Amino acid sequence: MINRTVKDVAQATEGVQDGMTLMVGGFGLSGIPENSIAQLVKLGVTDLTCISNNAGVDDFGLGLLLQKKQIKKMISSYVGENDEFERQMLSGELEVELIPQGTLAERCRAAQAGIPAFYTPAGYGTEVAEGKEERSFDGKPHILEKAFKADFAFVKAWKGDEAGNLIFKGTARNFNPVMCGAATITVAEVEELVPAGELDPNQIHIPGIFVKRIFQGERYEKRIEQRTTRKRA
């Protein structure tokens, strides 16, 4: 069995260069690859295109890369709680491509499955459809969306083994599974790394074939983006 373990985040991010396209898992601050993002900031790589549901918040998640002006283009479904993202987009400093959330997920999944493109009704008749091929199925108009092409995918899982098999926990499952194998190199950081064969095969969400590098992360903050409590009646 292939051992996909690397010793640390520095080794996991080897090969990341200026101008690359990166997929980054998570939704808001849930299930983001904290260690990988911090290392990208440390590396100082620039002119990045980042494919991610959104960009975290001003001082955490992909917001850290935005602060350092390391991202040239964001491909996301919404701006979220990130004021710096909004400021850079409105000022023209940051190129932004906003995509319907389901289409964003499916373009990742299509890349994972080796499907070059697919038709979807989402976005038809809007700016999203501009310049795209249109076709009708059963009388309903659709637009052609192409699978993403990315150099690296950085994902976060709860548990993983040395062979790269992954288990996600709760809502942290979000965009992480569909980004596995959707790039040339998939890097998975996990909270707990165990020997191959220790995970229950019936509980594995992503098989190791989709993962090139895996390492155990550390010091996870797991911030809560919007803390809500129930009000008493």
Side-chain angles (χ1 to χ4, degrees), residues 60-74:
F60 200 57
L62 286 179
L64 297 171
L65 288 168
L66 284 173
Q67 280 186 349
K68 300 288 186 180
K69 306 292 182 64
Q70 293 174 254
I71 300 176
K72 176 185 68 176
K73 180 178 180 179
M74 280 296 307

Side-chain angles (χ1 to χ4, degrees), residues 112-135:
Q112 180 191 69
I115 298 170
F118 59 92
Y119 286 97
T120 174
Y124 175 80
T126 72
E127 291 182 6
V128 171
E130 290 182 3
K132 294 176 182 175
E133 180 183 331
E134 298 178 1
R135 186 173 172 183

Side-chain angles (χ1 to χ4, degrees), residues 114-154:
I115 298 170
F118 59 92
Y119 286 97
T120 174
Y124 175 80
T126 72
E127 291 182 6
V128 171
E130 290 182 3
K132 294 176 182 175
E133 180 183 331
E134 298 178 1
R135 186 173 172 183
S136 182
F137 293 90
D138 297 323
K140 187 173 184 178
H142 293 64
I143 59 175
L144 184 69
E145 294 282 5
K146 295 181 179 179
F148 285 128
K149 291 182 180 179
D151 300 293
F152 277 81
F154 293 99

Side-chain angles (χ1 to χ4, degrees), residues 89-129:
M89 180 179 72
L90 295 177
S91 68
E93 297 173 42
L94 177 70
E95 187 180 348
V96 177
E97 182 180 349
L98 294 177
I99 301 175
Q101 198 166 80
T103 301
L104 182 72
E106 187 62 13
R107 288 178 70 180
C108 293
R109 195 198 67 82
Q112 180 191 69
I115 298 170
F118 59 92
Y119 286 97
T120 174
Y124 175 80
T126 72
E127 291 182 6
V128 171

Side-chain angles (χ1 to χ4, degrees), residues 196-215:
E198 190 167 313
L199 298 178
D200 179 351
N202 295 307
Q203 300 301 315
I204 291 171
H205 296 131
I206 289 293
I209 191 70
F210 289 116
V211 176
K212 288 287 180 68
R213 303 172 186 173
I214 187 170
F215 71 97

Side-chain angles (χ1 to χ4, degrees), residues 3-194:
N3 189 327
R4 304 179 190 276
T5 308
V6 293
K7 64 178 182 179
D8 55 26
V9 67
Q11 190 174 352
T13 52
E14 283 182 0
V16 178
Q17 299 175 7
D18 294 349
M20 282 189 164
T21 297
L22 313 179
M23 287 182 173
V24 184
F27 189 112
L29 299 182
S30 174
I32 62 172
E34 296 178 29
N35 288 254
S36 297
I37 292 172
Q39 181 65 16
L40 292 172
V41 173
K42 184 178 179 181
L43 289 173
V45 285
T46 59
D47 295 324
L48 300 173
T49 294
C50 288
I51 302 167
S52 187
N53 183 60
N54 61 309
V57 294
D58 289 354
D59 62 345
F60 200 57
L62 286 179
L64 297 171
L65 288 168
L66 284 173
Q67 280 186 349
K68 300 288 186 180
K69 306 292 182 64
Q70 293 174 254
I71 300 176
K72 176 185 68 176
K73 180 178 180 179
M74 280 296 307
I75 300 175
S76 304
S77 70
Y78 73 112
V79 175
E81 304 291 327
N82 196 317
D83 292 335
E84 180 61 15
F85 187 174
E86 180 182 9
R87 188 196 67 76
Q88 289 188 27
M89 180 179 72
L90 295 177
S91 68
E93 297 173 42
L94 177 70
E95 187 180 348
V96 177
E97 182 180 349
L98 294 177
I99 301 175
Q101 198 166 80
T103 301
L104 182 72
E106 187 62 13
R107 288 178 70 180
C108 293
R109 195 198 67 82
Q112 180 191 69
I115 298 170
F118 59 92
Y119 286 97
T120 174
Y124 175 80
T126 72
E127 291 182 6
V128 171
E130 290 182 3
K132 294 176 182 175
E133 180 183 331
E134 298 178 1
R135 186 173 172 183
S136 182
F137 293 90
D138 297 323
K140 187 173 184 178
H142 293 64
I143 59 175
L144 184 69
E145 294 282 5
K146 295 181 179 179
F148 285 128
K149 291 182 180 179
D151 300 293
F152 277 81
F154 293 99
V155 302
K156 157 80 185 324
W158 175 44
K159 284 186 179 182
D161 67 17
E162 294 169 346
N165 299 302
L166 304 177
I167 297 176
F168 301 93
K169 189 174 185 180
T171 56
R173 195 167 173 179
N174 53 60
F175 276 82
N176 284 300
V178 292
M179 290 184 174
C180 292
T184 303
I185 295 175
T186 295
V187 175
E189 60 177 79
V190 297
E191 294 181 42
E192 185 178 348
L193 184 61
V194 299

